[in-house]
Amino acid sequence: AQSVTQPDIHITVSEGASLELRCNYSYGATPYLFWYVQSPGQGLQLLLKYFSGDTLVQGIKGFEAEFKRSQSSFNLRKPSVHWSDAAEYFCAVKKSSGGYNKLIFGAGTRLAVHP
Amino acid sequence: EAQVTQNPRYLITVTGKKLTVTCSQNMNHEYMSWYRQDPGLGLRQIYYSMNVEVTDKGDVPEGYKVSRKEKRNFPLILESPSPNQTSLYFCASRGAAANEKLFFGSGTQLSVL
């Protein structure tokens, strides 16, 4: 069965430091992968997605993610974190079942940013 | 402005009192879905709808109902809420193509006492 694991529940970084959020997936075929961000009191916003092609994907707000098939990973990175990046981040994989597609979400990683 | 609108943002109710959370989108999207978000569990799909009058269960449908009488609206109904339905709920929509992104509402925080 398809699943998504985000090993880190909470991460704290200093403003200006680099960031990497881990995501591992379990999927039989080539996955469609996503990263969403949820700011406090807000809905989820799509940061980036991977369907095929270049394994390094650029997203909004300076984020990027790299798809590594050999490691079943799709880690999210940012070279320099801003205080406004404090939020919860969700990795997701698209599952195809019975003729429709749905997203399977990881449990989320909450990011805190120290000044 | 393209958006998914949920109401109310916050709701406190008591066990057994029927309630409805509304969801409306202005993007003419075919697909709509409800999720609940619980700490440590991420988002789990409750119900989804591929189009008007076409709905189906997601991963955690027990205790919930939905309807899709119009394309823009997809209300979530709790006939007899229980405390284990205390959660943060999100409505989402997207177009029919498989690679279209989901647009999320701002969420409804429900507390069932």
Side-chain angles (χ1 to χ4, degrees):
Chain A
Q2 294 89 345
S3 67
V4 177
T5 303
Q6 294 180 244
D8 306 304
I9 299 174
H10 291 100
I11 283 183
T12 301
V13 299
S14 298
E15 192 168 16
S18 63
L19 171 71
E20 182 168 30
L21 303 182
R22 297 184 290 165
C23 172
N24 294 99
Y25 66 89
S26 169
Y27 192 75
T30 300
Y32 288 1
L33 294 159
F34 305 80
W35 274 100
Y36 282 85
V37 61
Q38 183 183 24
S39 299
Q42 302 294 317
L44 279 72
Q45 180 183 21
L46 180 67
L47 282 175
L48 48 79
K49 61 185 178 182
Y50 170 79
F51 286 168
S52 64
D54 192 347
T55 56
L56 185 62
V57 182
Q58 301 298 319
I60 61 171
K61 304 186 180 190
F63 285 92
E64 66 177 25
E66 186 170 13
F67 170 60
K68 293 186 178 180
R69 184 188 300 277
S70 61
Q71 299 177 19
S72 297
S73 70
F74 188 57
N75 294 349
L76 182 71
R77 301 194 294 247
K78 187 169 185 178
S80 178
V81 171
H82 188 262
W83 64 267
S84 61
D85 293 325
E88 188 153 23
Y89 292 81
F90 293 93
C91 182
V93 63
K94 181 164 284 187
K95 168 185 174 182
S96 295
S97 175
Y100 86 100
N101 299 284
K102 74 172 188 180
L103 290 183
I104 308 293
F105 286 89
T109 297
R110 185 169 296 279
L111 173 67
V113 180
H114 281 177
Chain B
E1 178 188 357
Q3 61 184 2
V4 178
T5 304
Q6 290 178 234
N7 281 296
R9 287 295 303 274
Y10 302 93
L11 180 58
I12 300 174
T13 190
V14 296
T15 299
K17 186 176 182 181
K18 180 180 178 180
L19 66 91
T20 299
V21 184
T22 64
C23 175
S24 180
Q25 50 93 5
N26 62 0
M27 295 166 279
N28 201 36
H29 283 165
E30 286 79 10
Y31 177 91
M32 298 185 75
S33 180
W34 276 102
Y35 294 85
R36 60 177 288 174
Q37 181 182 358
D38 302 289
L41 297 176
L43 279 79
R44 294 177 293 167
Q45 189 180 54
I46 303 170
Y47 268 93
Y48 67 95
S49 170
M50 298 295 288
N51 214 322
V52 175
E53 302 291 4
V54 181
T55 64
D56 208 345
K57 296 177 181 178
D59 298 315
V60 288
E62 294 77 20
Y64 304 95
K65 286 176 55 178
V66 292
S67 70
R68 189 89 182 273
K69 293 183 170 55
E70 307 163 281
K71 198 171 187 180
R72 64 183 294 124
N73 296 322
F74 190 45
L76 179 68
I77 304 156
L78 284 73
E79 293 272 3
S80 182
S82 62
N84 64 13
Q85 292 178 298
T86 292
S87 187
L88 178 60
Y89 291 85
F90 287 99
C91 180
S93 74
R94 64 167 170 80
N99 62 354
E100 294 207 30
K101 75 172 187 178
L102 273 177
F103 289 81
F104 283 85
S106 297
T108 295
Q109 180 64 59
L110 172 64
S111 296
V112 183
L113 306 178

